[in-house]
Amino acid sequence: KNKTHQGRVSVVLFVLEMEWLLSTGQDKNFNWLCSESGQQLGTYRTAAWVSGLQFDVETRHAFVGDQSGQVTILKLEQESCSLVTTFKGHTGNVTALCWDPVQRVLFSGSSDHSIIMWDIGGRKGTAIELQGHNDKVQGLCYASHTRQLISCSSDGGIVIWNMDVTRQETPEWLDSDSCQKCEQPFFWNFKQMWDSKKIGLRQHHCRKCGQAVCGKCSSRRSTIPLMGFEFEVRVCDSCHESISDEDRAPTVTFHDSKHSVVYMHYEPTTGNLLTSGADKVIKLWDMSPVVS
């Protein structure tokens, strides 16, 4: 028996190739120890308690996601570690991580209902957002042989994402004191409101081009699957006209697990998916018809 944490253990990961056991706890410690001897090899103090953990055997990089929404990459050695980088894209805490060592892509799920695909191997800082859940993302698994991502959520949804498509980054939201389409002032732009004798409007943003627009100039809604928006989102009128039916073709399939999923595991050799729910029920799914 080896007690390495003062608080509740949050994630445990066994690395067979290294004979390492990685663990994180609510005491904000990330530890790794030798599974043969039980000897602790090293520890790293995280900024918040860790809720997601993945490891790349080839580079010995540990990916650590925490409750602040941050992902930290650490380079582990036999008895030491070094900080490689940190990045943050979620507005909520990180709830799940999934690493694809072939494409060298990291997926992170969050309580903000979103998934972000981080292109680690491309070294260009590309981050693709995926929106397909109505509640906290609880689990992520990647089927590398078919290039499909499986995600599950507290809303009971299981979503199969086709990642064998060319996806686009969502644009940065632009700042403006007036609508970038009709030039009507926004409500904080007192000078233009006074000069033009017009009432200030509320600011919105087009999800496709990122421009700051008023409600009248962004009255339309559309899915933009290649940008990760599988639900309809606000777009400006000109972008709505530019989106074709082909552009709206979904890149996912939705499935109802009929329970609030808290844990998920996918076994690619059998094609089976296991989900555990808040209802204390474990379900086994044959995913071979949809993951293929």
Side-chain angles (χ1 to χ4, degrees), residues 6 21-22 89 98 120 180 209 221 224 226 246 253 259 266 285:
Q6 298 303 312
L21 188 68
L22 316 182
C98 180
I120 306 295
Q180 294 181 298
C209 67
R221 302 290 184 274
I224 322 173
L226 292 180
E246 187 179 345
T253 57
H259 66 167
Y266 175 65
W285 308 83

mmCIF file of all heavy atoms in Angstrom, residues 6 21-22 89 98 120 180 209 221 224 226 246 253 259 266 285:
data_model
loop_
_atom_site.group_PDB
_atom_site.id
_atom_site.type_symbol
_atom_site.label_atom_id
_atom_site.label_comp_id
_atom_site.label_asym_id
_atom_site.label_seq_id
_atom_site.Cartn_x
_atom_site.Cartn_y
_atom_site.Cartn_z
ATOM 1 N N GLN A 6 -2.676 13.403 -0.468
ATOM 2 C CA GLN A 6 -3.323 13.791 0.780
ATOM 3 C C GLN A 6 -4.832 13.903 0.612
ATOM 4 O O GLN A 6 -5.577 13.772 1.563
ATOM 5 C CB GLN A 6 -2.753 15.137 1.269
ATOM 6 C CG GLN A 6 -1.262 15.102 1.568
ATOM 7 C CD GLN A 6 -0.901 14.044 2.597
ATOM 8 O OE1 GLN A 6 -1.540 13.947 3.644
ATOM 9 N NE2 GLN A 6 0.121 13.239 2.290
ATOM 10 N N LEU A 21 3.226 4.410 -13.061
ATOM 11 C CA LEU A 21 1.850 4.692 -12.664
ATOM 12 C C LEU A 21 1.753 6.190 -12.410
ATOM 13 O O LEU A 21 2.430 6.724 -11.522
ATOM 14 C CB LEU A 21 1.467 3.909 -11.409
ATOM 15 C CG LEU A 21 -0.014 3.980 -11.011
ATOM 16 C CD1 LEU A 21 -0.875 3.240 -12.035
ATOM 17 C CD2 LEU A 21 -0.235 3.390 -9.626
ATOM 18 N N LEU A 22 0.932 6.874 -13.214
ATOM 19 C CA LEU A 22 0.739 8.306 -13.064
ATOM 20 C C LEU A 22 -0.552 8.535 -12.277
ATOM 21 O O LEU A 22 -1.549 7.862 -12.516
ATOM 22 C CB LEU A 22 0.630 8.997 -14.424
ATOM 23 C CG LEU A 22 1.632 8.597 -15.518
ATOM 24 C CD1 LEU A 22 1.399 9.435 -16.769
ATOM 25 C CD2 LEU A 22 3.059 8.760 -15.035
ATOM 26 N N GLY A 89 -8.193 27.193 -23.513
ATOM 27 C CA GLY A 89 -9.181 27.598 -24.509
ATOM 28 C C GLY A 89 -10.601 27.456 -24.015
ATOM 29 O O GLY A 89 -11.538 27.922 -24.655
ATOM 30 N N CYS A 98 -8.053 13.337 -24.344
ATOM 31 C CA CYS A 98 -7.821 12.161 -25.195
ATOM 32 C C CYS A 98 -6.686 12.495 -26.155
ATOM 33 O O CYS A 98 -6.711 13.531 -26.825
ATOM 34 C CB CYS A 98 -9.101 11.820 -25.962
ATOM 35 S SG CYS A 98 -8.944 10.382 -27.040
ATOM 36 N N ILE A 120 -1.052 19.453 -31.685
ATOM 37 C CA ILE A 120 0.259 19.526 -31.025
ATOM 38 C C ILE A 120 1.383 19.266 -32.031
ATOM 39 O O ILE A 120 2.393 19.964 -32.054
ATOM 40 C CB ILE A 120 0.348 18.507 -29.869
ATOM 41 C CG1 ILE A 120 -0.815 18.678 -28.888
ATOM 42 C CG2 ILE A 120 1.695 18.597 -29.165
ATOM 43 C CD1 ILE A 120 -0.827 19.980 -28.138
ATOM 44 N N GLN A 180 -20.586 46.359 -37.791
ATOM 45 C CA GLN A 180 -19.675 46.352 -38.933
ATOM 46 C C GLN A 180 -20.385 46.079 -40.251
ATOM 47 O O GLN A 180 -19.741 45.970 -41.290
ATOM 48 C CB GLN A 180 -18.541 45.348 -38.685
ATOM 49 C CG GLN A 180 -17.639 45.766 -37.525
ATOM 50 C CD GLN A 180 -16.499 44.799 -37.266
ATOM 51 O OE1 GLN A 180 -16.707 43.642 -36.941
ATOM 52 N NE2 GLN A 180 -15.270 45.297 -37.403
ATOM 53 N N CYS A 209 -17.613 34.723 -39.527
ATOM 54 C CA CYS A 209 -16.577 35.703 -39.889
ATOM 55 C C CYS A 209 -16.012 36.435 -38.674
ATOM 56 O O CYS A 209 -14.959 37.068 -38.768
ATOM 57 C CB CYS A 209 -17.120 36.709 -40.901
ATOM 58 S SG CYS A 209 -18.409 37.813 -40.252
ATOM 59 N N ARG A 221 -29.741 31.971 -38.582
ATOM 60 C CA ARG A 221 -29.019 30.925 -37.848
ATOM 61 C C ARG A 221 -28.628 29.819 -38.831
ATOM 62 O O ARG A 221 -29.337 29.552 -39.800
ATOM 63 C CB ARG A 221 -29.862 30.320 -36.722
ATOM 64 C CG ARG A 221 -30.354 31.324 -35.675
ATOM 65 C CD ARG A 221 -29.217 31.826 -34.818
ATOM 66 N NE ARG A 221 -29.692 32.711 -33.754
ATOM 67 C CZ ARG A 221 -29.887 34.012 -33.896
ATOM 68 N NH1 ARG A 221 -29.644 34.592 -35.075
ATOM 69 N NH2 ARG A 221 -30.305 34.752 -32.885
ATOM 70 N N ILE A 224 -22.585 25.167 -38.928
ATOM 71 C CA ILE A 224 -21.340 25.281 -39.707
ATOM 72 C C ILE A 224 -20.459 24.103 -39.281
ATOM 73 O O ILE A 224 -19.493 24.274 -38.524
ATOM 74 C CB ILE A 224 -20.611 26.621 -39.452
ATOM 75 C CG1 ILE A 224 -21.591 27.792 -39.303
ATOM 76 C CG2 ILE A 224 -19.611 26.918 -40.581
ATOM 77 C CD1 ILE A 224 -20.930 29.090 -38.899
ATOM 78 N N LEU A 226 -18.029 22.217 -40.419
ATOM 79 C CA LEU A 226 -16.572 22.191 -40.574
ATOM 80 C C LEU A 226 -15.878 23.158 -39.630
ATOM 81 O O LEU A 226 -14.673 23.088 -39.434
ATOM 82 C CB LEU A 226 -16.172 22.474 -42.025
ATOM 83 C CG LEU A 226 -16.558 21.368 -43.030
ATOM 84 C CD1 LEU A 226 -16.117 21.736 -44.427
ATOM 85 C CD2 LEU A 226 -15.968 20.020 -42.615
ATOM 86 N N GLU A 246 -24.213 22.012 -48.996
ATOM 87 C CA GLU A 246 -23.073 21.101 -48.819
ATOM 88 C C GLU A 246 -22.266 21.484 -47.573
ATOM 89 O O GLU A 246 -21.793 20.619 -46.835
ATOM 90 C CB GLU A 246 -22.177 21.153 -50.054
ATOM 91 C CG GLU A 246 -21.044 20.127 -50.044
ATOM 92 C CD GLU A 246 -20.196 20.185 -51.300
ATOM 93 O OE1 GLU A 246 -20.633 20.796 -52.298
ATOM 94 O OE2 GLU A 246 -19.082 19.624 -51.272
ATOM 95 N N THR A 253 -22.738 11.934 -35.965
ATOM 96 C CA THR A 253 -24.011 11.245 -35.725
ATOM 97 C C THR A 253 -24.283 11.323 -34.226
ATOM 98 O O THR A 253 -23.368 11.219 -33.410
ATOM 99 C CB THR A 253 -23.979 9.775 -36.184
ATOM 100 O OG1 THR A 253 -22.888 9.096 -35.516
ATOM 101 C CG2 THR A 253 -23.790 9.670 -37.676
ATOM 102 N N HIS A 259 -29.044 7.756 -20.370
ATOM 103 C CA HIS A 259 -28.662 8.050 -18.986
ATOM 104 C C HIS A 259 -27.570 9.108 -18.981
ATOM 105 O O HIS A 259 -26.881 9.308 -19.978
ATOM 106 C CB HIS A 259 -28.278 6.785 -18.188
ATOM 107 C CG HIS A 259 -27.038 6.067 -18.625
ATOM 108 N ND1 HIS A 259 -26.442 5.099 -17.865
ATOM 109 C CD2 HIS A 259 -26.261 6.164 -19.737
ATOM 110 C CE1 HIS A 259 -25.380 4.609 -18.479
ATOM 111 N NE2 HIS A 259 -25.242 5.248 -19.606
ATOM 112 N N TYR A 266 -13.850 3.133 -24.547
ATOM 113 C CA TYR A 266 -14.017 2.480 -25.842
ATOM 114 C C TYR A 266 -12.909 1.470 -26.055
ATOM 115 O O TYR A 266 -11.731 1.772 -25.834
ATOM 116 C CB TYR A 266 -13.998 3.523 -26.968
ATOM 117 C CG TYR A 266 -14.043 2.919 -28.354
ATOM 118 C CD1 TYR A 266 -15.166 2.211 -28.799
ATOM 119 C CD2 TYR A 266 -12.961 3.051 -29.226
ATOM 120 C CE1 TYR A 266 -15.207 1.665 -30.070
ATOM 121 C CE2 TYR A 266 -12.992 2.520 -30.495
ATOM 122 C CZ TYR A 266 -14.116 1.812 -30.917
ATOM 123 O OH TYR A 266 -14.150 1.257 -32.177
ATOM 124 N N TRP A 285 -22.198 -1.018 -25.274
ATOM 125 C CA TRP A 285 -22.727 -0.709 -26.599
ATOM 126 C C TRP A 285 -21.856 -1.335 -27.697
ATOM 127 O O TRP A 285 -20.641 -1.269 -27.613
ATOM 128 C CB TRP A 285 -22.770 0.805 -26.828
ATOM 129 C CG TRP A 285 -23.447 1.580 -25.759
ATOM 130 C CD1 TRP A 285 -22.918 2.009 -24.575
ATOM 131 C CD2 TRP A 285 -24.803 2.045 -25.752
ATOM 132 N NE1 TRP A 285 -23.832 2.713 -23.835
ATOM 133 C CE2 TRP A 285 -25.000 2.768 -24.540
ATOM 134 C CE3 TRP A 285 -25.863 1.956 -26.666
ATOM 135 C CZ2 TRP A 285 -26.212 3.352 -24.215
ATOM 136 C CZ3 TRP A 285 -27.058 2.560 -26.339
ATOM 137 C CH2 TRP A 285 -27.243 3.238 -25.133
#
